[in-house]
Amino acid sequence: MAYSGPAFSTTMLEDGVVELRFDLAGESVNKLNQVAVKDFDAATQAIAKDPSVKGVIVTSGKSVFIVGADVTEFGGLFAGGEPAVVQMVSAVTAMLNRFEDLPVPTVAAINGVCLGGGMELVLACDYRVMSSTATVGFPEVKLGIFPGFGGTVRMPRLIGVDNAVEWIAAAGDKKADAAFKDGAVDAVVAPDKLRDAALALVKSAIAGKLDWKAKRAEKLVPVKLNKIEQAMAFESSLAFVGAKAGPNYPAPVLAIKCMQEAAGKGREEALAIEAKYFAKAALTPQASALIGVFLADQIVKKAAGSWAKKSPKEIKLAAVLGAGIMGGGIAYQSASKGTPIIMKDIVSGALDLGMNEAGKLLSKQVERGRMTAEKMSAVLARIRPTLNYGDFKDVDVVIEAVVENPKVKKAVFAEVEGMVRDDTIIASNTSTISISYLAEGLKRPQNFVGMHFFNPVSMMPLVEVIRGKQSSDAAIAGAVSLVQKMGKTPVVVNDCPGFYVNRTLFPYFAGFHLLLRDGADFQAVDKAMERFGWPMGPAYLFDVVGMDTAMHAAAVMAEGFPDRMRPDYASATSVLVDNKRYGQKNNLGYYSYVPDKKGKPKKTPDPQTYELIKGVVAARREFAPDEIVARCMVPMVNEVVRCLEDKIVASPFEADLALIYGLGFPPFRGGACKYVDQMGVANFVALADKYAALGKLYEAPKLLRDMAAAGKKFFG
Ligand SMILES: NC(=O)c1ccc[n+]([C@@H]2O[C@H](COP(=O)([O-])OP(=O)(O)OC[C@H]3O[C@@H](n4cnc5c(N)ncnc54)[C@H](O)[C@@H]3O)[C@@H](O)[C@H]2O)c1
């Protein structure tokens, strides 16, 4: 027997052992798409029909084993609703059962990444041998779903309830030693010994030295815990995981409930329960949003990859001007990902601060065992602090991160242009000032772009790469390539004040200011927006960003978009700035701050704030949380849509991902466009209309009205 299909092929090896090899045609990785799943079943049936087969080893023809199911197919598969989802997963689990029921022992040889559906496939084998360099795990809950191809059934029977809950609900990747310790794999060997080890294991089983039938039987029967033990295990994990995940992320809790209900059942009944719960998770709005975020991430990274390939040169040396909050962060990030960087300032004390900050971030990693002291020294050695332009002739990209003042920035550009090569890219990290405007007066405006990092640089995944009127493709490509090297996600956007992310943030802030003007309590607004899913409410965010910095940026935005971003009232934030309340930086903002035991600023309500702003706010009145959310979100979403209309951002995918990665937009809502889709475009337009009296920021843009009229959505 020799089977050969688009994904799987079999080869008869010695002593009746068949190698079932997964090598998906036309793809760089193995994934369980529809084609592969069907082919797996055809190969299984071919093996089952051949009486000369005595055992099977499952191998991969790629450097990964199996990355998981094909997420791009989920939309179509889930579109048919609950019966269709149940039918789809049941069909796959039936195939895995047929493999599990082969009358011969089976061994998986896991050579590389083996995740999700891949892990579920190897669980259907009797034994698993793993390369010491491979990783395994169940990342599904990150997508709002959980293992639905038998993972929740086989895992607790194989490694116990507590371990299975941890593997599935925490969604972490497991290295070989951890997988072996938990009993998820039977042996770990060096990569070059993997095939021999798998062969030896299957031969031992064939020879009867291993009781593979008994091992298999454990997966077919109920979990080995009595009712009381089960109740204890499941109830405590439900409480713990439920509290940790929170109400906006239901998948891990559904997974545990599913395991609990199926624990006392045999394989077939347990799998039917899994299918039912899986469909429930798959059809939640959260799953739809999180799957959308995953796909958007892939699309954006692919686009970045194509940009980076167009870069005429490799970026070997970077420089940053300004060693402040942003300059220090940029230097740290570049150095820690391997690109040496010169950090120039005009004040030597600033250089010390920048280096100290980088040192602190690195020391934390050393303390946590994530980095060795040698690596830390090597990273620090890649940052060259300086007060002069000495080595700037060697620099490929200069990132300017001096004060947010166009005059100062322009003077710095004129100076640095004379110090670098003709092909050196010069980028500004300005938060708001138009890149085309900053390029005026430059000798080589084609080499000039924006690179907008977010604070704190080490934590925030997004960098907006801004194309000014005269920026060349080569300059954009070089900037994108550096962002990628720095381990960040670049989104290329067109130029306007605030670019994409800040242009949408300030209307949200305006919504907040209008609420306060009309009598809302800022603490109630924070609470409602945090419930909505933002990591912090707008008042707290002002405190973190710095109110003076934010109001300075707000003035640039007002200048750029006077029809809707220039307020005709004094905002509470401006009054606080006038009273020298700048936020966390001086411990006084909307809230006041006292350092906690670890030195982190602890937020405390401050009656003084109410006193100070009372001249610019109406008498206090209650706003329903829904109204607060609508009044903050409508201006932001409208501006996102205007950015799409104006082609500032190219697609709803990029628009949504940039808000999640740049601002912390709640991932379970999938971004602004997905939020509108889930609410219904016509419903959103009606909501905006309800607040039309509040001004132009609340006016739904034409694109949205047209979409509503045509019954269109952003996605699907
Ligand atoms: N802080 C943020 O949250 C944030 C976020 C995104 C972008 N940005 C932008 O990044 C830029 C820097 O902001 P920051 O918060 O790091 O400012 P900062 O005040 O912390 O640092 C500015 C640094 O620039 C130095 N400097 C001034 N003139 C210089 C010159 N001619 N050459 C070299 N160094 C010079 C100063 O000595 C100071 O160390 C601004 O344009 C800001 O809008 C800031």
Side-chain angles (χ1 to χ4, degrees):
M1 178 257 334
Y3 176 85
S4 179
F8 287 88
S9 60
T10 63
T11 313
M12 188 58 96
L13 308 174
E14 70 267 22
D15 304 335
V17 176
V18 161
E19 176 178 359
L20 175 59
R21 186 178 159 91
F22 189 6
D23 195 353
L24 188 58
E27 297 280 351
S28 57
V29 294
N30 284 332
K31 52 188 170 185
L32 287 174
N33 58 12
Q34 305 266 47
V35 170
V37 165
K38 280 202 192 94
D39 200 35
F40 176 71
D41 197 40
T44 302
Q45 296 193 25
I47 293 169
K49 277 192 204 123
D50 185 345
S52 68
V53 176
K54 301 277 182 289
V56 180
I57 60 167
V58 186
T59 63
S60 158
K62 315 247 191 231
S63 61
V64 301
F65 188 74
I66 304 174
V67 293
D70 186 348
V71 182
T72 60
E73 290 180 346
F74 286 2
L77 292 171
F78 298 172
E82 195 171 327
V85 177
V86 169
Q87 198 188 11
M88 183 275 291
V89 287
S90 305
V92 178
T93 48
M95 292 176 198
L96 290 175
N97 288 353
R98 281 196 279 279
F99 182 84
E100 187 168 54
D101 294 342
L102 282 173
V104 295
T106 53
V107 177
I110 306 167
N111 60 314
V113 170
C114 174
L115 298 174
M119 191 61 203
E120 293 178 289
L121 188 147
V122 301
L123 287 177
C125 296
D126 297 320
Y127 297 97
R128 286 148 294 279
V129 188
M130 183 172 176
S131 154
S132 53
T133 56
T135 44
V136 293
F138 290 110
E140 284 90 338
V141 299
K142 291 186 197 155
L143 298 179
I145 52 174
F146 58 79
F149 299 159
T152 70
V153 174
R154 295 191 175 96
M155 209 54 184
R157 285 157 182 78
L158 186 72
I159 67 171
V161 168
D162 288 345
N163 280 337
V165 164
E166 197 273 324
W167 276 61
I168 290 168
D173 287 358
K174 302 280 180 185
K175 294 216 165 102
D177 49 355
F180 179 70
K181 190 174 134 261
D182 286 350
V185 298
D186 303 283
V188 174
V189 295
D192 60 335
K193 301 278 182 316
L194 184 67
R195 195 185 163 78
D196 287 348
L199 267 174
L201 194 59
V202 82
K203 283 182 189 168
S204 296
I206 295 169
K209 289 183 204 152
L210 293 169
D211 191 354
W212 58 275
K213 287 187 177 153
K215 188 143 192 318
R216 182 181 292 183
E218 286 178 5
K219 292 187 283 170
L220 309 179
V221 295
V223 166
K224 276 196 223 88
L225 287 181
N226 66 34
K227 282 243 152 55
I228 296 169
E229 288 166 333
Q230 276 187 33
M232 276 170 58
F234 286 114
E235 291 306 328
S236 65
S237 12
L238 273 173
F240 176 74
V241 171
K244 201 152 180 229
N248 297 324
Y249 294 90
V253 165
L254 281 172
I256 299 172
K257 285 190 174 157
C258 165
M259 286 190 262
Q260 183 172 28
E261 195 175 318
K265 314 283 190 219
R267 184 181 73 180
E268 314 299 327
E269 262 185 289
L271 287 171
I273 292 167
E274 182 188 70
K276 183 183 74 178
Y277 273 93
F278 178 84
K280 215 185 237 186
L283 298 174
T284 56
Q286 291 92 341
S288 167
L290 291 168
I291 289 165
V293 175
F294 177 87
L295 295 175
D297 181 85
Q298 298 221 314
I299 290 170
V300 165
K301 293 216 164 99
K302 214 168 165 187
S306 328
W307 265 115
K309 270 195 208 128
K310 287 190 222 154
S311 176
K313 59 179 176 187
E314 199 194 328
I315 310 300
K316 293 191 186 130
L317 179 64
V320 64
L321 302 174
I325 302 175
M326 297 307 288
I330 290 166
Y332 159 83
Q333 189 65 31
S334 181
S336 65
K337 294 288 176 184
T339 306
I341 186 160
I342 301 174
M343 179 168 70
K344 182 187 176 298
D345 207 289
I346 48 173
V347 184
S348 69
L351 291 174
D352 295 341
L353 280 178
M355 289 307 287
N356 283 346
E357 200 49 40
K360 261 194 240 157
L361 286 167
L362 291 163
S363 302
K364 254 190 221 155
Q365 293 182 51
V366 174
E367 273 163 32
R368 289 185 190 145
R370 292 199 193 134
M371 186 184 272
T372 61
E374 294 77 56
K375 172 117 197 271
M376 170 172 165
S377 322
V379 171
L380 284 175
R382 274 186 220 119
I383 308 178
R384 251 186 281 165
T386 178
L387 292 171
N388 58 56
Y389 286 108
D391 293 334
F392 270 57
K393 278 273 175 279
D394 300 329
V395 171
D396 300 304
V397 180
V398 180
I399 304 167
E400 167 277 316
V402 306
V403 284
E404 186 78 344
N405 175 328
K407 274 202 191 120
V408 177
K409 286 191 191 288
K410 283 190 168 195
V412 168
F413 297 140
E415 193 176 80
V416 75
E417 234 189 354
M419 303 292 172
V420 294
R421 292 190 316 256
D422 282 0
D423 67 340
T424 300
I425 298 163
I426 300 180
S428 175
N429 179 46
T430 170
S431 322
T432 48
I433 309 168
S434 154
I435 291 302
S436 308
Y437 168 70
L438 287 177
E440 286 168 15
L442 281 179
K443 276 192 249 143
R444 295 183 293 273
Q446 70 277 12
N447 290 354
F448 186 68
V449 299
M451 280 174 85
H452 182 211
F453 289 82
F454 292 79
N455 186 17
V457 177
S458 61
M459 305 277 292
M460 302 299 286
L462 181 73
V463 179
E464 284 181 283
V465 175
I466 303 126
R467 179 203 275 280
K469 272 199 200 99
Q470 301 185 66
S471 312
S472 68
D473 277 1
I476 297 286
V480 166
S481 140
L482 176 58
V483 173
Q484 274 195 322
K485 279 181 106 176
M486 289 169 82
K488 300 287 171 191
T489 304
V491 170
V492 178
V493 300
N494 279 320
D495 187 32
C496 67
F499 323 120
Y500 168 62
V501 173
N502 278 341
R503 178 167 155 186
T504 63
L505 175 64
F506 280 85
Y508 168 84
F509 278 149
F512 166 70
H513 283 149
L514 285 166
L515 271 165
L516 264 55
R517 181 199 69 176
D518 295 345
D521 177 3
F522 67 86
Q523 292 195 67
V525 178
D526 272 3
K527 207 164 155 192
M529 297 318 290
E530 282 159 18
R531 282 247 169 92
F532 177 80
W534 284 99
M536 57 186 83
Y540 191 16
L541 182 59
F542 265 120
D543 284 1
V544 172
V545 169
M547 349 258 284
D548 50 340
T549 310
M551 290 320 280
H552 182 77
V556 179
M557 302 310 295
E559 179 88 23
F561 305 99
D563 64 330
R564 55 190 187 277
M565 297 200 202
R566 176 168 289 155
D568 56 3
Y569 58 94
S571 71
T573 308
S574 64
V575 171
L576 294 177
V577 172
D578 291 345
N579 285 279
K580 301 203 165 31
R581 292 182 78 106
Y582 301 139
Q584 284 188 344
K585 61 173 89 162
N586 71 345
N587 292 327
L588 291 172
Y590 275 96
Y591 302 89
S592 62
Y593 296 87
V594 269
D596 67 9
K597 273 186 228 146
K598 286 185 185 158
K600 278 201 180 146
K602 191 171 168 281
K603 183 178 80 157
T604 330
D606 186 348
Q608 183 71 26
T609 303
Y610 293 99
E611 228 7 76
L612 288 172
I613 64 174
K614 74 177 179 206
V616 295
V617 303
R620 175 87 56 84
R621 72 181 174 91
E622 283 260 324
F623 284 80
D626 280 355
E627 186 170 3
I628 292 176
V629 168
R631 287 182 56 153
C632 289
M633 292 309 297
V634 167
M636 172 180 254
V637 171
N638 281 344
E639 203 59 38
V640 167
V641 178
R642 285 189 196 102
C643 285
L644 284 166
E645 285 180 337
D646 296 351
K647 307 216 170 353
I648 295 302
V649 64
S651 68
F653 287 107
E654 286 155 296
D656 278 4
L657 198 74
L659 292 188
I660 292 169
Y661 286 2
L663 292 181
F665 194 105
F668 73 91
R669 295 192 185 275
C673 299
K674 187 74 182 184
Y675 170 61
V676 173
D677 271 4
Q678 292 198 329
M679 181 187 292
V681 182
N683 293 336
F684 180 85
V685 171
L687 186 68
D689 286 346
K690 189 173 156 196
Y691 294 105
L694 288 170
K696 186 140 194 242
L697 282 173
Y698 289 82
E699 245 175 49
K702 181 167 180 311
L703 176 62
L704 272 186
R705 292 194 187 275
D706 290 350
M707 285 172 65
K712 282 193 181 151
K713 292 161 86 179
F714 286 106
F715 304 103

